[in-house]
Amino acid sequence: MFPYMRVTDSRGTITVSGEHTSYGAPDEALLTLGVMTEGPDLQKAQQENNENIKNIVGTLQANGVSKSDIQTANYQIIPRYSFEDGKQIFNGYEVVNILRLHLRSIERAGKIIDDAVKAGANRVEGIQFLSSHSTALYQHALEQAFQDALAKATVLARQSGQELVPDPLSIKEGQSVEFPSPMKLAVQESAILPGEISVKASLIVTFTTH
């Protein structure tokens, strides 16, 4: 939080901070899930992985997820070794293919996860809830942050025997912060609790006084 500051020059100025957090219901989500396969033969591990991914993509599309909203987020081939009596022993390969999905509606999120698991997904790494109205939420937070700054400056001017000019001399916008809702899951069927999205705005505003 920014401290109160008063800077006096020939005109007289008061500089204050203002902040506000707006809340809204999420209506979209980013879901990350995928497949891990392993075995001594790399080609077979890759083939099994590819088949599972193909099945997952098919069930995602059947649940209304557009192909353009399905993206490979991570693909790894990891050789696995163990050590016995100081010797390195090759144990096979691990193939990991992770997808990132943009769900334009969160109503079917639980079913989408369940169907993906049935289709072969054995990695569900997280879900992040978003709002398609985050810009409007931030603009509302900015409006209220300015009112917060104006109220503080009014109090400081009155207490110091000055008259505040309500038109600001300068406004410095802080970095916006959006807090997405975390994932909450319960098995059979996956219960998705989206919670709320919060968007915080902060300002540094300088007013003149006389």
mmCIF file of all heavy atoms in Angstrom, residues 124-163:
data_model
loop_
_atom_site.group_PDB
_atom_site.id
_atom_site.type_symbol
_atom_site.label_atom_id
_atom_site.label_comp_id
_atom_site.label_asym_id
_atom_site.label_seq_id
_atom_site.Cartn_x
_atom_site.Cartn_y
_atom_site.Cartn_z
ATOM 1 N N VAL A 124 -4.031 -34.403 -14.512
ATOM 2 C CA VAL A 124 -4.872 -33.205 -14.464
ATOM 3 C C VAL A 124 -4.120 -32.213 -13.591
ATOM 4 O O VAL A 124 -4.059 -32.358 -12.368
ATOM 5 C CB VAL A 124 -6.268 -33.500 -13.888
ATOM 6 C CG1 VAL A 124 -7.101 -32.219 -13.852
ATOM 7 C CG2 VAL A 124 -6.974 -34.572 -14.718
ATOM 8 N N GLU A 125 -3.528 -31.221 -14.216
ATOM 9 C CA GLU A 125 -2.556 -30.387 -13.519
ATOM 10 C C GLU A 125 -3.152 -29.115 -12.931
ATOM 11 O O GLU A 125 -2.546 -28.502 -12.065
ATOM 12 C CB GLU A 125 -1.405 -30.058 -14.457
ATOM 13 C CG GLU A 125 -0.657 -31.309 -14.911
ATOM 14 C CD GLU A 125 0.669 -31.006 -15.564
ATOM 15 O OE1 GLU A 125 0.909 -29.830 -15.919
ATOM 16 O OE2 GLU A 125 1.474 -31.933 -15.724
ATOM 17 N N GLY A 126 -4.317 -28.702 -13.417
ATOM 18 C CA GLY A 126 -4.899 -27.512 -12.807
ATOM 19 C C GLY A 126 -5.965 -26.881 -13.674
ATOM 20 O O GLY A 126 -6.061 -27.135 -14.876
ATOM 21 N N ILE A 127 -6.773 -26.050 -13.022
ATOM 22 C CA ILE A 127 -7.774 -25.265 -13.733
ATOM 23 C C ILE A 127 -7.770 -23.867 -13.147
ATOM 24 O O ILE A 127 -7.710 -23.678 -11.933
ATOM 25 C CB ILE A 127 -9.178 -25.918 -13.632
ATOM 26 C CG1 ILE A 127 -10.198 -25.146 -14.475
ATOM 27 C CG2 ILE A 127 -9.644 -26.045 -12.189
ATOM 28 C CD1 ILE A 127 -11.521 -25.877 -14.634
ATOM 29 N N GLN A 128 -7.792 -22.886 -14.032
ATOM 30 C CA GLN A 128 -7.757 -21.480 -13.631
ATOM 31 C C GLN A 128 -8.991 -20.802 -14.202
ATOM 32 O O GLN A 128 -9.211 -20.806 -15.413
ATOM 33 C CB GLN A 128 -6.483 -20.809 -14.152
ATOM 34 C CG GLN A 128 -6.396 -19.325 -13.860
ATOM 35 C CD GLN A 128 -5.136 -18.707 -14.433
ATOM 36 O OE1 GLN A 128 -4.140 -19.380 -14.654
ATOM 37 N NE2 GLN A 128 -5.180 -17.414 -14.684
ATOM 38 N N PHE A 129 -9.795 -20.210 -13.325
ATOM 39 C CA PHE A 129 -11.029 -19.575 -13.767
ATOM 40 C C PHE A 129 -10.777 -18.126 -14.161
ATOM 41 O O PHE A 129 -10.022 -17.411 -13.505
ATOM 42 C CB PHE A 129 -12.094 -19.663 -12.680
ATOM 43 C CG PHE A 129 -12.553 -21.066 -12.423
ATOM 44 C CD1 PHE A 129 -12.074 -21.787 -11.348
ATOM 45 C CD2 PHE A 129 -13.451 -21.677 -13.282
ATOM 46 C CE1 PHE A 129 -12.487 -23.087 -11.119
ATOM 47 C CE2 PHE A 129 -13.868 -22.970 -13.064
ATOM 48 C CZ PHE A 129 -13.385 -23.679 -11.983
ATOM 49 N N LEU A 130 -11.446 -17.706 -15.233
ATOM 50 C CA LEU A 130 -11.279 -16.374 -15.789
ATOM 51 C C LEU A 130 -12.646 -15.732 -16.006
ATOM 52 O O LEU A 130 -13.673 -16.402 -15.976
ATOM 53 C CB LEU A 130 -10.543 -16.440 -17.131
ATOM 54 C CG LEU A 130 -9.236 -17.219 -17.177
ATOM 55 C CD1 LEU A 130 -8.767 -17.357 -18.615
ATOM 56 C CD2 LEU A 130 -8.170 -16.532 -16.333
ATOM 57 N N SER A 131 -12.622 -14.436 -16.257
ATOM 58 C CA SER A 131 -13.845 -13.721 -16.618
ATOM 59 C C SER A 131 -13.650 -13.047 -17.970
ATOM 60 O O SER A 131 -12.632 -12.387 -18.205
ATOM 61 C CB SER A 131 -14.189 -12.667 -15.564
ATOM 62 O OG SER A 131 -15.274 -11.862 -16.004
ATOM 63 N N SER A 132 -14.629 -13.214 -18.848
ATOM 64 C CA SER A 132 -14.582 -12.525 -20.138
ATOM 65 C C SER A 132 -14.874 -11.040 -19.970
ATOM 66 O O SER A 132 -14.764 -10.267 -20.918
ATOM 67 C CB SER A 132 -15.591 -13.153 -21.109
ATOM 68 O OG SER A 132 -16.913 -13.058 -20.589
ATOM 69 N N HIS A 133 -15.256 -10.648 -18.744
ATOM 70 C CA HIS A 133 -15.564 -9.247 -18.459
ATOM 71 C C HIS A 133 -14.493 -8.604 -17.578
ATOM 72 O O HIS A 133 -14.772 -7.642 -16.858
ATOM 73 C CB HIS A 133 -16.924 -9.146 -17.760
ATOM 74 C CG HIS A 133 -18.035 -9.852 -18.478
ATOM 75 N ND1 HIS A 133 -18.511 -9.438 -19.704
ATOM 76 C CD2 HIS A 133 -18.748 -10.962 -18.157
ATOM 77 C CE1 HIS A 133 -19.474 -10.245 -20.098
ATOM 78 N NE2 HIS A 133 -19.628 -11.181 -19.181
ATOM 79 N N SER A 134 -13.272 -9.115 -17.639
ATOM 80 C CA SER A 134 -12.217 -8.605 -16.761
ATOM 81 C C SER A 134 -11.882 -7.140 -17.047
ATOM 82 O O SER A 134 -11.523 -6.399 -16.133
ATOM 83 C CB SER A 134 -10.957 -9.469 -16.882
ATOM 84 O OG SER A 134 -10.495 -9.501 -18.218
ATOM 85 N N THR A 135 -12.014 -6.722 -18.319
ATOM 86 C CA THR A 135 -11.753 -5.317 -18.647
ATOM 87 C C THR A 135 -12.752 -4.406 -17.961
ATOM 88 O O THR A 135 -12.386 -3.366 -17.383
ATOM 89 C CB THR A 135 -11.809 -5.094 -20.166
ATOM 90 O OG1 THR A 135 -10.794 -5.879 -20.802
ATOM 91 C CG2 THR A 135 -11.570 -3.625 -20.513
ATOM 92 N N ALA A 136 -14.026 -4.781 -17.991
ATOM 93 C CA ALA A 136 -15.055 -3.988 -17.320
ATOM 94 C C ALA A 136 -14.837 -3.975 -15.806
ATOM 95 O O ALA A 136 -15.032 -2.935 -15.152
ATOM 96 C CB ALA A 136 -16.440 -4.535 -17.654
ATOM 97 N N LEU A 137 -14.424 -5.120 -15.251
ATOM 98 C CA LEU A 137 -14.140 -5.175 -13.818
ATOM 99 C C LEU A 137 -12.999 -4.233 -13.452
ATOM 100 O O LEU A 137 -13.051 -3.539 -12.428
ATOM 101 C CB LEU A 137 -13.784 -6.604 -13.400
ATOM 102 C CG LEU A 137 -14.913 -7.627 -13.372
ATOM 103 C CD1 LEU A 137 -14.348 -9.022 -13.087
ATOM 104 C CD2 LEU A 137 -15.953 -7.261 -12.322
ATOM 105 N N TYR A 138 -11.971 -4.198 -14.300
ATOM 106 C CA TYR A 138 -10.821 -3.335 -14.014
ATOM 107 C C TYR A 138 -11.199 -1.862 -14.139
ATOM 108 O O TYR A 138 -10.770 -1.028 -13.328
ATOM 109 C CB TYR A 138 -9.664 -3.671 -14.945
ATOM 110 C CG TYR A 138 -8.434 -2.833 -14.684
ATOM 111 C CD1 TYR A 138 -7.800 -2.879 -13.450
ATOM 112 C CD2 TYR A 138 -7.930 -1.982 -15.660
ATOM 113 C CE1 TYR A 138 -6.683 -2.101 -13.187
ATOM 114 C CE2 TYR A 138 -6.814 -1.206 -15.412
ATOM 115 C CZ TYR A 138 -6.196 -1.262 -14.165
ATOM 116 O OH TYR A 138 -5.095 -0.489 -13.910
ATOM 117 N N GLN A 139 -12.008 -1.532 -15.149
ATOM 118 C CA GLN A 139 -12.435 -0.137 -15.300
ATOM 119 C C GLN A 139 -13.249 0.323 -14.095
ATOM 120 O O GLN A 139 -13.093 1.459 -13.627
ATOM 121 C CB GLN A 139 -13.242 0.016 -16.592
ATOM 122 C CG GLN A 139 -12.396 -0.124 -17.852
ATOM 123 C CD GLN A 139 -13.222 -0.122 -19.121
ATOM 124 O OE1 GLN A 139 -14.443 -0.261 -19.096
ATOM 125 N NE2 GLN A 139 -12.546 0.038 -20.256
ATOM 126 N N HIS A 140 -14.104 -0.556 -13.577
ATOM 127 C CA HIS A 140 -14.852 -0.215 -12.364
ATOM 128 C C HIS A 140 -13.914 -0.041 -11.180
ATOM 129 O O HIS A 140 -14.091 0.891 -10.358
ATOM 130 C CB HIS A 140 -15.879 -1.312 -12.062
ATOM 131 C CG HIS A 140 -16.661 -1.053 -10.805
ATOM 132 N ND1 HIS A 140 -16.343 -1.654 -9.605
ATOM 133 C CD2 HIS A 140 -17.743 -0.256 -10.568
ATOM 134 C CE1 HIS A 140 -17.193 -1.233 -8.675
ATOM 135 N NE2 HIS A 140 -18.053 -0.396 -9.232
ATOM 136 N N ALA A 141 -12.910 -0.897 -11.082
ATOM 137 C CA ALA A 141 -11.931 -0.774 -9.998
ATOM 138 C C ALA A 141 -11.164 0.538 -10.098
ATOM 139 O O ALA A 141 -10.885 1.181 -9.078
ATOM 140 C CB ALA A 141 -10.970 -1.964 -10.023
ATOM 141 N N LEU A 142 -10.834 0.954 -11.336
ATOM 142 C CA LEU A 142 -10.145 2.240 -11.530
ATOM 143 C C LEU A 142 -11.009 3.406 -11.057
ATOM 144 O O LEU A 142 -10.526 4.335 -10.395
ATOM 145 C CB LEU A 142 -9.789 2.426 -13.007
ATOM 146 C CG LEU A 142 -8.523 1.746 -13.530
ATOM 147 C CD1 LEU A 142 -8.391 1.988 -15.029
ATOM 148 C CD2 LEU A 142 -7.279 2.253 -12.802
ATOM 149 N N GLU A 143 -12.290 3.377 -11.425
ATOM 150 C CA GLU A 143 -13.202 4.451 -11.010
ATOM 151 C C GLU A 143 -13.252 4.572 -9.490
ATOM 152 O O GLU A 143 -13.176 5.669 -8.935
ATOM 153 C CB GLU A 143 -14.606 4.182 -11.559
ATOM 154 C CG GLU A 143 -14.713 4.270 -13.079
ATOM 155 C CD GLU A 143 -16.071 3.816 -13.589
ATOM 156 O OE1 GLU A 143 -16.917 3.422 -12.745
ATOM 157 O OE2 GLU A 143 -16.299 3.857 -14.813
ATOM 158 N N GLN A 144 -13.378 3.410 -8.830
ATOM 159 C CA GLN A 144 -13.472 3.427 -7.377
ATOM 160 C C GLN A 144 -12.144 3.774 -6.720
ATOM 161 O O GLN A 144 -12.111 4.381 -5.643
ATOM 162 C CB GLN A 144 -13.990 2.069 -6.888
ATOM 163 C CG GLN A 144 -15.401 1.740 -7.347
ATOM 164 C CD GLN A 144 -16.398 2.802 -6.959
ATOM 165 O OE1 GLN A 144 -16.474 3.218 -5.795
ATOM 166 N NE2 GLN A 144 -17.176 3.278 -7.926
ATOM 167 N N ALA A 145 -11.041 3.392 -7.353
ATOM 168 C CA ALA A 145 -9.719 3.749 -6.828
ATOM 169 C C ALA A 145 -9.525 5.259 -6.854
ATOM 170 O O ALA A 145 -8.955 5.848 -5.919
ATOM 171 C CB ALA A 145 -8.624 3.055 -7.631
ATOM 172 N N PHE A 146 -10.019 5.904 -7.921
ATOM 173 C CA PHE A 146 -9.919 7.366 -7.970
ATOM 174 C C PHE A 146 -10.772 8.005 -6.887
ATOM 175 O O PHE A 146 -10.346 8.965 -6.222
ATOM 176 C CB PHE A 146 -10.345 7.894 -9.341
ATOM 177 C CG PHE A 146 -10.301 9.388 -9.432
ATOM 178 C CD1 PHE A 146 -9.102 10.048 -9.646
ATOM 179 C CD2 PHE A 146 -11.458 10.146 -9.269
ATOM 180 C CE1 PHE A 146 -9.050 11.443 -9.706
ATOM 181 C CE2 PHE A 146 -11.424 11.528 -9.320
ATOM 182 C CZ PHE A 146 -10.216 12.187 -9.544
ATOM 183 N N GLN A 147 -11.980 7.486 -6.672
ATOM 184 C CA GLN A 147 -12.832 8.032 -5.621
ATOM 185 C C GLN A 147 -12.186 7.855 -4.243
ATOM 186 O O GLN A 147 -12.318 8.718 -3.365
ATOM 187 C CB GLN A 147 -14.207 7.353 -5.659
ATOM 188 C CG GLN A 147 -15.025 7.667 -6.903
ATOM 189 C CD GLN A 147 -15.283 9.155 -7.072
ATOM 190 O OE1 GLN A 147 -15.564 9.869 -6.097
ATOM 191 N NE2 GLN A 147 -15.172 9.633 -8.308
ATOM 192 N N ASP A 148 -11.478 6.737 -4.068
ATOM 193 C CA ASP A 148 -10.756 6.499 -2.820
ATOM 194 C C ASP A 148 -9.666 7.544 -2.627
ATOM 195 O O ASP A 148 -9.503 8.102 -1.532
ATOM 196 C CB ASP A 148 -10.161 5.090 -2.844
ATOM 197 C CG ASP A 148 -9.397 4.737 -1.587
ATOM 198 O OD1 ASP A 148 -9.893 5.035 -0.481
ATOM 199 O OD2 ASP A 148 -8.300 4.159 -1.700
ATOM 200 N N ALA A 149 -8.916 7.818 -3.695
ATOM 201 C CA ALA A 149 -7.858 8.830 -3.623
ATOM 202 C C ALA A 149 -8.433 10.212 -3.361
ATOM 203 O O ALA A 149 -7.901 10.992 -2.551
ATOM 204 C CB ALA A 149 -7.050 8.822 -4.923
ATOM 205 N N LEU A 150 -9.537 10.541 -4.026
ATOM 206 C CA LEU A 150 -10.169 11.850 -3.836
ATOM 207 C C LEU A 150 -10.648 12.031 -2.403
ATOM 208 O O LEU A 150 -10.481 13.103 -1.808
ATOM 209 C CB LEU A 150 -11.336 12.001 -4.819
ATOM 210 C CG LEU A 150 -12.144 13.304 -4.740
ATOM 211 C CD1 LEU A 150 -11.245 14.504 -4.986
ATOM 212 C CD2 LEU A 150 -13.302 13.272 -5.734
ATOM 213 N N ALA A 151 -11.227 10.977 -1.839
ATOM 214 C CA ALA A 151 -11.703 11.056 -0.455
ATOM 215 C C ALA A 151 -10.542 11.282 0.509
ATOM 216 O O ALA A 151 -10.646 12.085 1.452
ATOM 217 C CB ALA A 151 -12.460 9.781 -0.098
ATOM 218 N N LYS A 152 -9.432 10.597 0.297
ATOM 219 C CA LYS A 152 -8.262 10.773 1.160
ATOM 220 C C LYS A 152 -7.716 12.193 1.051
ATOM 221 O O LYS A 152 -7.387 12.833 2.070
ATOM 222 C CB LYS A 152 -7.173 9.776 0.775
ATOM 223 C CG LYS A 152 -7.493 8.325 1.093
ATOM 224 C CD LYS A 152 -6.384 7.412 0.583
ATOM 225 C CE LYS A 152 -6.669 5.955 0.897
ATOM 226 N NZ LYS A 152 -5.626 5.062 0.358
ATOM 227 N N ALA A 153 -7.607 12.683 -0.193
ATOM 228 C CA ALA A 153 -7.060 14.028 -0.397
ATOM 229 C C ALA A 153 -7.966 15.087 0.219
ATOM 230 O O ALA A 153 -7.487 16.087 0.781
ATOM 231 C CB ALA A 153 -6.877 14.292 -1.893
ATOM 232 N N THR A 154 -9.270 14.873 0.146
ATOM 233 C CA THR A 154 -10.224 15.822 0.726
ATOM 234 C C THR A 154 -10.040 15.916 2.235
ATOM 235 O O THR A 154 -10.039 17.004 2.818
ATOM 236 C CB THR A 154 -11.666 15.395 0.387
ATOM 237 O OG1 THR A 154 -11.826 15.367 -1.039
ATOM 238 C CG2 THR A 154 -12.672 16.363 0.984
ATOM 239 N N VAL A 155 -9.868 14.754 2.879
ATOM 240 C CA VAL A 155 -9.650 14.731 4.320
ATOM 241 C C VAL A 155 -8.347 15.443 4.684
ATOM 242 O O VAL A 155 -8.301 16.270 5.613
ATOM 243 C CB VAL A 155 -9.632 13.283 4.844
ATOM 244 C CG1 VAL A 155 -9.172 13.233 6.295
ATOM 245 C CG2 VAL A 155 -11.006 12.649 4.695
ATOM 246 N N LEU A 156 -7.283 15.158 3.952
ATOM 247 C CA LEU A 156 -5.987 15.770 4.250
ATOM 248 C C LEU A 156 -6.017 17.279 4.047
ATOM 249 O O LEU A 156 -5.441 18.041 4.838
ATOM 250 C CB LEU A 156 -4.904 15.142 3.373
ATOM 251 C CG LEU A 156 -4.526 13.697 3.695
ATOM 252 C CD1 LEU A 156 -3.522 13.177 2.675
ATOM 253 C CD2 LEU A 156 -3.951 13.594 5.096
ATOM 254 N N ALA A 157 -6.678 17.718 2.980
ATOM 255 C CA ALA A 157 -6.769 19.159 2.729
ATOM 256 C C ALA A 157 -7.547 19.853 3.839
ATOM 257 O O ALA A 157 -7.132 20.912 4.350
ATOM 258 C CB ALA A 157 -7.433 19.392 1.371
ATOM 259 N N ARG A 158 -8.660 19.263 4.241
ATOM 260 C CA ARG A 158 -9.475 19.866 5.296
ATOM 261 C C ARG A 158 -8.716 19.932 6.614
ATOM 262 O O ARG A 158 -8.745 20.943 7.322
ATOM 263 C CB ARG A 158 -10.769 19.078 5.454
ATOM 264 C CG ARG A 158 -11.715 19.677 6.502
ATOM 265 C CD ARG A 158 -13.081 19.007 6.490
ATOM 266 N NE ARG A 158 -12.995 17.591 6.810
ATOM 267 C CZ ARG A 158 -13.253 16.611 5.954
ATOM 268 N NH1 ARG A 158 -13.599 16.895 4.707
ATOM 269 N NH2 ARG A 158 -13.169 15.350 6.325
ATOM 270 N N GLN A 159 -8.021 18.832 6.952
ATOM 271 C CA GLN A 159 -7.298 18.795 8.213
ATOM 272 C C GLN A 159 -6.104 19.739 8.243
ATOM 273 O O GLN A 159 -5.664 20.151 9.317
ATOM 274 C CB GLN A 159 -6.823 17.365 8.495
ATOM 275 C CG GLN A 159 -7.959 16.388 8.781
ATOM 276 C CD GLN A 159 -8.753 16.776 10.017
ATOM 277 O OE1 GLN A 159 -8.179 17.106 11.060
ATOM 278 N NE2 GLN A 159 -10.078 16.764 9.911
ATOM 279 N N SER A 160 -5.588 20.061 7.054
ATOM 280 C CA SER A 160 -4.422 20.965 6.995
ATOM 281 C C SER A 160 -4.811 22.389 6.637
ATOM 282 O O SER A 160 -3.943 23.217 6.345
ATOM 283 C CB SER A 160 -3.404 20.430 5.981
ATOM 284 O OG SER A 160 -4.007 20.318 4.692
ATOM 285 N N GLY A 161 -6.128 22.678 6.640
ATOM 286 C CA GLY A 161 -6.584 24.044 6.413
ATOM 287 C C GLY A 161 -6.461 24.508 4.981
ATOM 288 O O GLY A 161 -6.325 25.713 4.724
ATOM 289 N N GLN A 162 -6.519 23.594 4.037
ATOM 290 C CA GLN A 162 -6.430 23.958 2.630
ATOM 291 C C GLN A 162 -7.738 23.620 1.923
ATOM 292 O O GLN A 162 -8.563 22.860 2.430
ATOM 293 C CB GLN A 162 -5.284 23.193 1.953
ATOM 294 C CG GLN A 162 -3.927 23.406 2.581
ATOM 295 C CD GLN A 162 -2.873 22.564 1.884
ATOM 296 O OE1 GLN A 162 -2.378 22.916 0.826
ATOM 297 N NE2 GLN A 162 -2.549 21.428 2.497
ATOM 298 N N GLU A 163 -7.891 24.194 0.726
ATOM 299 C CA GLU A 163 -9.044 23.874 -0.099
ATOM 300 C C GLU A 163 -8.562 23.072 -1.306
ATOM 301 O O GLU A 163 -7.652 23.493 -2.017
ATOM 302 C CB GLU A 163 -9.747 25.143 -0.574
ATOM 303 C CG GLU A 163 -11.009 24.855 -1.384
ATOM 304 C CD GLU A 163 -11.760 26.125 -1.764
ATOM 305 O OE1 GLU A 163 -11.449 27.185 -1.192
ATOM 306 O OE2 GLU A 163 -12.644 26.043 -2.638
#
